Every structure is written in C-alpha cells, then in structure tokens.
Amino acid sequence: MPVDLPTPFLCVDVDVLEANLRAMAAGAAARGLALRPHAKTHKCVRIARRQMALGAKGLTVATVREAEVFADGGLDDLFIAYPVWPSPQQTARLRALARRVALRAGVDSAESAAALGRAVPGLEVLVEVDSGHHRSGAEPGRAGEIAVAAQAAGLRVRGVFTFPGHAYGPQRQRSAQEDESTALATAAASVAAAGLDAGVVSGGSTPTAALTTAGPITEMRPGLYVFGDAQQIELGTADWSQIAMTVASTVVSRRADRVIVDAGSKILGADRQPWATGHGRLPDHPDARIVALSEHHATVTLPDGTPLPALGDTLQIVPNHACAAVNLADELIVVSGGELVDRWPVDARGANT
Amino acid sequence: MPVDLPTPFLCVDVDVLEANLRAMAAGAAARGLALRPHAKTHKCVRIARRQMALGAKGLTVATVREAEVFADGGLDDLFIAYPVWPSPQQTARLRALARRVALRAGVDSAESAAALGRAVPGLEVLVEVDSGHHRSGAEPGRAGEIAVAAQAAGLRVRGVFTFPGHAYGPQRQRSAQEDESTALATAAASVAAAGLDAGVVSGGSTPTAALTTAGPITEMRPGLYVFGDAQQIELGTADWSQIAMTVASTVVSRRADRVIVDAGSKILGADRQPWATGHGRLPDHPDARIVALSEHHATVTLPDGTPLPALGDTLQIVPNHACAAVNLADELIVVSGGELVDRWPVDARGANT
C-alpha cells in the first residue's frame, strides 16, 4: 500500500494525470480546436488551473454552484453547459457571477431564453441542441429561432453546443461523433442564417474526443480524460496506462471463491451502464470482476485458479464513472511513484445547485 | 414550492418522519424485539437521538467513522455491523471509541477475529453469518468455531447477526425473512453449543421488518424505514404516505413527450435494481417514470395525454435508494405542513473509513 491512510480513499497518480492533461491539450491544439474541459469530473481548482496553464481556453461546469466555486478559485472564463432555468434563487447568483468572470450559459428554448434574458440581461449564451442523446437540447434546425428569441430577450448569442452522450456505448463513438458534427453544423448554419453569431461550435465527451476534428466544431469539452475510469477502459477509449484515479480498498472478508473489500457504492458510485462487466475494475487484476456492490462492500471474483488476496490486503479499484466517485469524496490523495505527495480538496463536491 | 431554496435539495417532511419512527418503535416493542436502527440511512445525529428517545436500544453504523460521528453526537451504544478489519490506521480509533461508548463490532472469520482481538482486546463482537445475500458473513453452522476463536483472541462474544439483503427483490421478503430466521437460529445454536454467549441474535432490513418475530431473533436493525424510498414503494414494503424524503427539482427543459429536471445522479444517486421501473418516482405523478438519468438531468415521462409540467415548475422526486441520496447532501431541509422548519446537517456524510 503506497499511502498509510484508512481505506477507502480516492488516490490520484499525479504523473498519469499530468500525462493525460498534456495529451488532450496537445491533441486539441494540433487539430486547431479550443479545449474547454468539463470540470464536473475533477471538481478540483488545482486541476483546473493546470488545465488552463496547459492552454485550455476556459472551463466548462454543470451548475451555477460549480461556477461559483471555480470563480472563487480564480478561474475566470466559465461556461455552464446546461439549460439554466433562472429561478429567483439563481438570478442574483448568476448576475454576481457575470460581473466577476467571463460567463456563458446554455439555452434550449425560446421560453427559457426569455426568462434568462429577463434575469441576467447581456449574458452570453450558446444554444443547446440534441445530437442524439435525447436529453436536453433543441432540434438542431431550430437553433436559429431560439437564438433570435435569445437576442430579443437581451442575451448575447455566441454559438451552439451539444453533448453526444450516446457515445457511451460499445462501438458507438464514431457514429455519435458524426451525429455531433452533423447536428452542430445544422445548428450553426441555422443561427448564421438568422444573422446571429455562431462563432462558437462546441462539442463534448471524452469517448468522442479523439475522433473530433475542426469544422464545424471549434471547441471541445471532454471531462473524464483527466482520470479515465472503468467505463472508458471497457469502451476502449482509454487504456490502463491512462488510469489516473483509483479507490484504495481493504479486503475485509473472504469466501471460497471471492473476497469482499470495504469500497462500496458510497465511494465508488453506483453508476453501471448495461454493457459494463461489473461495478468497477481492478488494474492489478484485469480479469477480476466486481459482481456485487453494497454501500460499503464490493464483492470481487477472480478467475478460477487465481490465488485470492488475503484479509487486510489493499486492492486498487477503478470506479465505473470517475465523476460520481469524485463527488463522494472530500479530498483526493495525490501520489507520485507510490508515495503521498499532496492532498487536494474536492472543492466543488456536492455543488448541485 | 414549499421552500424558497435553489434546487435540487433533499426535503424531509418531519411529520411523516416522526410517524415512521413511532410506527417502527411501536412495532418492535409490541413483538418484544429490541430496535437498533441502522444510521447509515439518515447519517443525522438529530434523527438518531429521536430514535433513542422513542426506545431504540442503540444504533447500528456501517463504519468506524460513522461510529465516531455518532459518538461525538452523544450516542453511546453503537454496533458497527460490519466485518471490521483492524488496519493499523483503524486500531487506535477503535480503541478510543471502545473507551467512550458501548461498542460492538462484527467478525466473520477466525482470522479476522484474531486480528481484531490483538487490536482491541476486550471488544464486544457479534459473529456475522450469511443468510442468503452471499456478501460477507460465515456459514451459520460455523458461527461457533468463529466465536471460540474470538473468545480465544480476547474478544467478548455477545451473539450473532446477519443482513438478509436478498429481501431486496419482488416477492422475496417472506422467503428472505425465513432464511434470516433459520440462519440466525443455526448460528445462535452453534455459538451456544460452544459454550459462549448467543444472547444477541440480530437481524436487519426494512423490507423484512414487518415479518420479523421474536425467537430466535432478539433485535432488528432496519434503516430505510425512516424515509422510505422508491425501492420500498416498488417492493410494496412502504406506501406513499410513508415517504418522508424527496428531492425538490426544477423543470429546466421540455420536449414533446418529456421534461428534464435538474436532479440527476449527483443528488438522487445512481442506484437502480434490475426490477426498478426507473431512476426514482414522483409522488405527485405516480404514473410518471424517470427513464434516463445523468449527473444533473433526470428525464421524466408521463402517460400519454397527461399535461407536461411547465418550465420552472418544481417536481418532487423520491430517490430509488434513500441512503445514497442522503450521502450526497450536506444538509436535510426539514419541512412541516409545507413550510421550512429546520435544516439538519448530514453529520456522517462521506464517513466511509
């Protein structure tokens, strides 16, 4: 065990993290794409600053509260990639943010644009369109009319964005990235045809990042690449050498054919896509599977004939979904060469509002 | 919307909570069962104190850290219902706890009993047995030999326990409760045959609580009954009138046939059993379903012909698994008659170690 702390805890290998940050920054630069990493994955001001130092154009966040936390941390160019509904409670906070930093938000309907324009006059917005994930986002061909409504409401339209979340499936990265490009091209043309600014054409997602090229897309917003996770391993969009974060756990119980460790859903997260092979993966035991997960128990099986770990042994587990695991921890334990070198607070943990 | 706060947040109806606490306390008392509620559900000292005031014998917790938090809150009879492995980091903490409160822990093997005995001499333990959930816990017939090992290691054996987690499935409550009774009877007899104390025979779980009777069981450890959740609704082990906690969310986007609200997996939790109908339920729209969940989006569909909620409307969502949702929040917003009456900290949020 590299670090003498009670398990379970989140362990970040700073050298792998740095390599991941550099590789994505270099890849975006080589293709002429602006990089605006999604900070919901790491929720950590220290990592955001490093992303900026390596050339990121700004940061993406999911909530007003995340924007506040990163603004407090000195990040001054923030895009809330979300169809923000300006409730009375949110309006004053958005106005204050817009005075402190370069702020941009999402809109996906004329009605929400009207409300946002009343709440935060002059706010920069991107029109969100649906590229196939069927979550929020307007039909791409309607981006122009929403942009016109936003402009009329006093917002400043700067372009369009989408999240190709349907890339999260086996062999779906290429088609989802094509959907993303097509939807964004349609949306940008629709906004331009309405005589408004479609200069920012922003796509997203770690699984599609390697496939993204400039034109129509100008900017990408990957998040998970900083740590990788078991989903990326199983999708083939990260390899083991890119896994920068694990949960350190202890074997607390053994049966004939399995061990139980003390990392459960309250540290790993319960996210499990239908195609996942289990509730996380073990880098030191690639053939092991986590076949069951409770709040404080993970049940780990190994292939027949593999010696079982002993009681008290430490096992490193890669969570299925790094964003969920980070949001369950107060701090990241930072290691280099197996030694503890730092502890970073998860500044935006629980920043849901 | 009852409370003027930014969404999403956890909203607890204190009157429903109180009714749930009273009903479980009365039901246990009427059957001659000691009640030792599992505090991992609420993680809240205020609720634990109320459980004690209503006659609970003590509290159950899942981790050493939870025990520390509740000890700090004045709770002085704590059972860590977990096969505690006394790592060097945990040993000093367990010793300190054992000096402050009546402390009990679980053991499920001779080897872990030996380690625990070396670490915390004189600690009271219950032998954990497997009643069909196949997580931690020894075979019931081996409880005696583990008890003997525990005694030899300097621990004080007080009985046996199990968690019938396989009750979490449709129509499985009765058979799981029978399994629990059988396993505990076997385990208690095995310990008694070894000449050791099997006075505490402790079972668990909210789904089986109504079916549990005294003999061999002496104590129950339900947790979820305080709040209820969508799992309990769909299992039929709670009804809507017993739902004490919801997530307040705002409609941020609308499509032709669905709305998107701002409560995602980072407040609802991602827990979803294979038999669940979705990612949570809506008490005001019992026929609605949450068909997709991202970190900050829930996609809600309603039956054909039902008018869709408007942008900005507040929707109350019952999480699938209340324990997971509570662990994602810093505080519980407490209401009575639709008005805010208090805010309770989630004292043991993130207390994983």
Side-chain angles (χ1 to χ4, degrees):
Chain A
M1 166 155 181
V3 179
D4 189 32
L5 290 171
T7 60
F9 61 85
L10 292 189
C11 189
V12 170
D13 186 311
V14 71
D15 305 310
V16 179
L17 170 66
E18 177 71 11
N20 291 347
L21 297 184
R22 285 180 179 273
M24 186 62 79
R31 285 173 281 162
L33 289 162
L35 180 61
R36 187 182 281 277
H38 209 312
K40 72 180 170 68
T41 302
H42 56 70
K43 289 179 170 280
C44 184
V45 167
R46 298 282 290 270
I47 297 175
R49 288 185 187 149
R50 189 73 195 130
Q51 290 174 316
M52 296 301 292
L54 289 169
K57 164 131 189 64
L59 219 59
T60 305
V61 297
T63 67
V64 177
R65 184 70 198 129
E66 281 188 347
E68 290 170 338
V69 170
F70 285 101
D72 290 346
L75 286 298
D76 61 2
D77 186 338
L78 302 172
F79 171 38
I80 307 174
Y82 196 81
V84 175
W85 181 261
S87 64
Q89 304 82 17
Q90 239 84 331
T91 295
R93 297 166 61 204
L94 282 164
R95 286 183 182 174
L97 268 173
R99 283 192 297 269
R100 295 168 68 192
V101 299
L103 185 70
R104 201 169 269 173
V107 289
D108 76 347
S109 70
E111 191 178 351
S112 60
L116 196 58
R118 281 192 300 274
V120 195
L123 182 66
E124 290 195 6
V125 293
L126 302 188
V127 178
E128 184 181 10
V129 296
D130 178 11
S131 52
H133 189 36
H134 306 322
R135 195 172 66 178
S136 51
E139 286 170 42
R142 296 190 50 229
E145 81 186 61
I146 296 165
V148 167
Q151 178 86 358
L155 298 169
R156 292 186 290 161
V157 176
R158 288 292 174 259
V160 294
F161 79 106
T162 195
F163 172 64
H166 57 315
Y168 278 83
Q171 313 299 328
R172 292 214 307 240
Q173 291 73 51
R174 189 164 296 279
S175 63
Q177 204 286 315
E178 289 167 1
D179 292 346
E180 172 187 42
S181 288
T182 304
L184 286 173
T186 302
S190 169
V191 171
L196 292 172
D197 179 5
V200 178
V201 181
S202 178
S205 114
T206 293
T208 56
L211 304 168
T212 303
T213 50
I217 296 176
T218 66
E219 171 182 287
M220 24 179 220
R221 310 185 315 277
L224 274 164
Y225 74 97
V226 298
F227 297 137
D229 58 18
Q231 287 182 356
Q232 305 294 332
I233 291 288
E234 297 196 342
L235 288 174
T237 53
D239 62 43
W240 290 106
S241 70
Q242 295 170 303
I243 296 298
M245 187 179 78
T246 55
V247 173
S249 69
T250 300
V251 176
V252 296
S253 181
R254 290 180 68 178
R255 303 174 71 91
D257 61 342
R258 57 193 58 194
V259 295
I260 315 295
V261 301
D262 63 0
S265 62
K266 280 180 171 167
I267 184 79
L268 290 167
D271 296 56
R272 184 181 177 176
Q273 296 271 5
W275 42 264
T277 66
H279 299 274
R281 293 289 294 271
L282 287 72
D284 300 324
H285 304 275
D287 296 328
R289 290 296 180 272
I290 301 179
V291 297
L293 195 70
S294 308
E295 288 159 62
H296 299 281
H297 305 71
T299 302
V300 181
T301 61
L302 289 101
D304 285 349
T306 310
L308 285 180
L311 281 166
D313 278 2
T314 299
L315 297 185
Q316 304 290 335
I317 300 178
V318 185
N320 272 347
H321 186 192
C323 306
V326 168
N327 190 48
L328 289 161
D330 290 320
E331 61 177 359
L332 305 176
I333 302 303
V334 184
V335 303
S336 176
E339 300 293 324
L340 189 152
V341 293
D342 213 341
R343 301 167 78 136
W344 293 343
V346 181
D347 305 285
R349 184 201 55 71
N352 285 316
T353 58
Chain B
M1 165 153 180
V3 178
D4 190 32
L5 290 171
T7 59
F9 61 85
L10 293 189
C11 190
V12 170
D13 186 311
V14 70
D15 306 309
V16 178
L17 170 65
E18 176 71 11
N20 291 347
L21 298 184
R22 285 180 180 274
M24 186 62 79
R31 285 173 280 160
L33 289 162
L35 180 62
R36 187 182 281 277
H38 208 312
K40 73 182 171 66
T41 301
H42 55 70
K43 288 179 170 280
C44 185
V45 167
R46 297 282 289 269
I47 297 175
R49 288 186 187 147
R50 190 70 195 130
Q51 289 174 316
M52 296 301 293
L54 288 168
K57 163 133 189 64
L59 219 59
T60 304
V61 297
T63 67
V64 176
R65 183 72 198 125
E66 282 188 347
E68 289 170 338
V69 170
F70 285 100
D72 289 347
L75 286 299
D76 61 2
D77 187 339
L78 302 172
F79 171 38
I80 308 173
Y82 195 81
V84 175
W85 181 261
S87 65
Q89 303 82 18
Q90 239 84 330
T91 295
R93 297 165 62 204
L94 283 164
R95 286 183 183 174
L97 268 171
R99 284 191 296 268
R100 294 168 68 193
V101 299
L103 185 70
R104 201 170 270 173
V107 289
D108 76 347
S109 69
E111 191 178 348
S112 60
L116 196 58
R118 279 192 300 272
V120 196
L123 182 66
E124 290 196 4
V125 293
L126 302 187
V127 177
E128 184 181 10
V129 297
D130 177 12
S131 53
H133 189 34
H134 305 323
R135 194 172 69 177
S136 50
E139 285 170 43
R142 296 190 50 228
E145 80 186 60
I146 296 165
V148 167
Q151 178 85 0
L155 299 168
R156 291 185 291 159
V157 176
R158 289 291 173 260
V160 294
F161 79 106
T162 195
F163 172 63
H166 57 315
Y168 277 84
Q171 314 299 328
R172 291 214 306 238
Q173 291 73 52
R174 190 163 297 279
S175 63
Q177 203 286 312
E178 289 167 2
D179 292 345
E180 174 188 41
S181 287
T182 303
L184 287 174
T186 301
S190 168
V191 171
L196 293 172
D197 180 4
V200 178
V201 181
S202 177
S205 114
T206 292
T208 54
L211 305 168
T212 304
T213 50
I217 296 176
T218 66
E219 170 182 287
M220 359 183 241
R221 309 186 315 276
L224 275 164
Y225 74 97
V226 298
F227 296 138
D229 58 18
Q231 287 182 356
Q232 305 294 333
I233 292 287
E234 297 197 341
L235 289 174
T237 52
D239 63 41
W240 290 105
S241 70
Q242 294 169 303
I243 296 297
M245 187 179 80
T246 56
V247 173
S249 69
T250 300
V251 177
V252 296
S253 181
R254 291 180 67 176
R255 303 175 72 91
D257 61 343
R258 58 192 58 192
V259 295
I260 314 295
V261 301
D262 63 0
S265 61
K266 279 180 171 169
I267 183 80
L268 290 168
D271 297 56
R272 185 182 177 177
Q273 298 271 6
W275 42 264
T277 67
H279 299 274
R281 292 291 293 272
L282 287 74
D284 301 325
H285 305 275
D287 295 329
R289 290 294 182 274
I290 300 178
V291 297
L293 194 70
S294 309
E295 287 159 64
H296 299 281
H297 305 71
T299 303
V300 180
T301 61
L302 289 98
D304 284 351
T306 310
L308 285 181
L311 282 165
D313 278 2
T314 299
L315 297 185
Q316 303 290 335
I317 301 178
V318 185
N320 273 346
H321 186 192
C323 307
V326 167
N327 190 48
L328 289 161
D330 290 319
E331 62 177 359
L332 305 176
I333 302 303
V334 184
V335 303
S336 176
E339 301 293 325
L340 189 152
V341 294
D342 213 342
R343 300 167 79 136
W344 294 342
V346 181
D347 304 284
R349 184 202 54 71
N352 285 316
T353 57

